[in-house]
Amino acid sequence: MKRLRRTMLFVPGNHPGMIQSASVLGADSVILDLEDAVSLSEKDSARKLVTKALRRWSFKSTEVTVRINPITTAYGPLDLDAMLEVEPDILLIPKAEVASMREVESRMAAFEAARGGKAVRTKLFALIESAAGVEYIHEILEASPRIEGVLFGGEDYTSYMGVARTTGGMEIEYARNKVAVACKVRGVDAVDTPFTDVDNHEGLLEDARKAKAMGFTGKAAINPRQVSVIHKGFAPDPAEVRYAFRVLEAVEEAEAEGKGVFSLDGKMVDAPIIQRARQMVALAEKLGMTGTGAIRIDTEERGLK
Ligand SMILES: CC(C)(COP(=O)(O)OP(=O)(O)OC[C@H]1O[C@@H](n2cnc3c(N)ncnc32)[C@H](O)[C@@H]1OP(=O)(O)O)[C@@H](O)C(=O)NCCC(=O)NCCSC(=O)C[C@@](O)(CC(=O)O)C(=O)O
Ligand SMILES: [Mg+2]
């Protein structure tokens, strides 16, 4: 079954205390960061710390992602070599563009060849955060068969574009839509940019719901307090789940009567609506929202209405 990645929580790679607590913070994935959260003077010690953490510490069932430095910098290849020895679940490749993703893939293939062809278990995520990254996203996703998803970086992207970052996010709308659609075409996860105002939980919830509506599968977090808010934003609406169950029940009757299209509560139900109902029920089951066919959660309790 495909892994849930509603939240990917950035944890500075130079902070032993934060790394040690990372697996109890409720995020689906934690990103141990060697790039922007770590100053130049601490790059080597952070790499050593993250290597040690992956060798010796348990992250239980939490997925472990490591963000290396860009492969075009002096630190990137050192990070990659060190991480290939300890094989985290995911490597997040920052400032991803076609050439840099090809370079990472070719270094990983060479590493495997040098050890007699034994495959590396680590998969890749591309961090798309430049205009070229957005524009050539399909080629980036073709650069390696190991790519399982994309994280969109709105801060670097707007800085690259030379435009202001606003709460409404109009300036990143095109890029977000393009990333979400391209990821859907390729069948990989699309994880939205972090929301940097860590105390504004209402704004975060709204932004997470917007990302979900665009087709993102999750959203990056930078603070543990953001995790449950994002999960709430990405949870299916219980009323929609109940309706999806009713659609699937009605489909059985309609099929028995030889009908491809029928009406439920005065609304047309046809193939795409049935498909969406199946997806909704599958997601609700994955999230443990369903019991024996009936929905257990209370709409008001979850604060979704
Ligand atoms: C934001 C803030 C300073 C707030 O500090 P505060 O002190 O107010 O936090 P509090 O809530 O008070 O902390 C309560 C307790 O949680 C612990 N705690 C906090 N954060 C924790 C955490 N992340 N992991 C584990 N533990 C944590 C803390 O140690 C304390 O533990 P304790 O003392 O035991 O009670 C802090 O969260 C933090 O540093 N976040 C990580 C920031 C980071 O990694 N940024 C770089 C990556 S993004 C990026 O690069 C994106 C992009 O690529 C994309 C683009 O382009 O858009 C780009 O380029 O921008
Ligand atoms: Mg960045």
Side-chain angles (χ1 to χ4, degrees), residues 10 18 25 36-37 67 129 153-156 193 222-225:
F10 277 100
M18 288 194 192
L25 301 173
D36 284 351
R67 176 165 74 169
E129 45 187 349
E155 300 305 324
D156 269 300
T193 189
I222 51 168
N223 182 278
R225 289 179 283 121

Side-chain angles (χ1 to χ4, degrees), residues 9-13 15 17-19 21-22 25 30-31 33 35-38 67 92 94-95 127-129 151-158 165 193-194 196 198-199 220-226:
L9 172 65
F10 277 100
V11 181
H15 203 298
M18 288 194 192
I19 296 175
S21 66
L25 301 173
V30 291
I31 304 172
D33 189 17
E35 199 212 15
D36 284 351
V38 176
R67 176 165 74 169
L92 175 62
K95 318 287 185 299
L127 176 45
I128 302 253
E129 45 187 349
L151 199 156
F152 171 61
E155 300 305 324
D156 269 300
Y157 173 75
T158 43
R165 190 76 176 88
T193 189
T196 53
V198 287
D199 293 322
I222 51 168
N223 182 278
R225 289 179 283 121
Q226 294 185 317

Side-chain angles (χ1 to χ4, degrees), residues 242-255 262 264 293:
R242 272 190 219 101
Y243 184 73
F245 270 112
R246 293 189 49 231
V247 166
L248 298 190
E249 273 164 23
V251 165
E252 283 183 29
E253 274 177 40
E255 275 173 358
F262 59 92
L264 182 66

Side-chain angles (χ1 to χ4, degrees), residues 182-234:
C183 287
K184 193 59 77 182
V185 170
R186 301 275 161 182
V188 300
D189 280 346
V191 177
D192 189 34
T193 189
F195 189 81
T196 53
D197 186 354
V198 287
D199 293 322
N200 180 2
H201 291 182
E202 265 181 32
L204 171 61
L205 182 61
E206 195 182 312
D207 202 42
R209 285 182 173 153
K210 188 171 180 182
K212 177 175 175 260
M214 284 177 172
F216 281 91
T217 48
K219 187 166 178 65
I222 51 168
N223 182 278
R225 289 179 283 121
Q226 294 185 317
V227 170
S228 61
V229 182
I230 296 174
H231 287 183
K232 191 161 149 183
F234 275 85

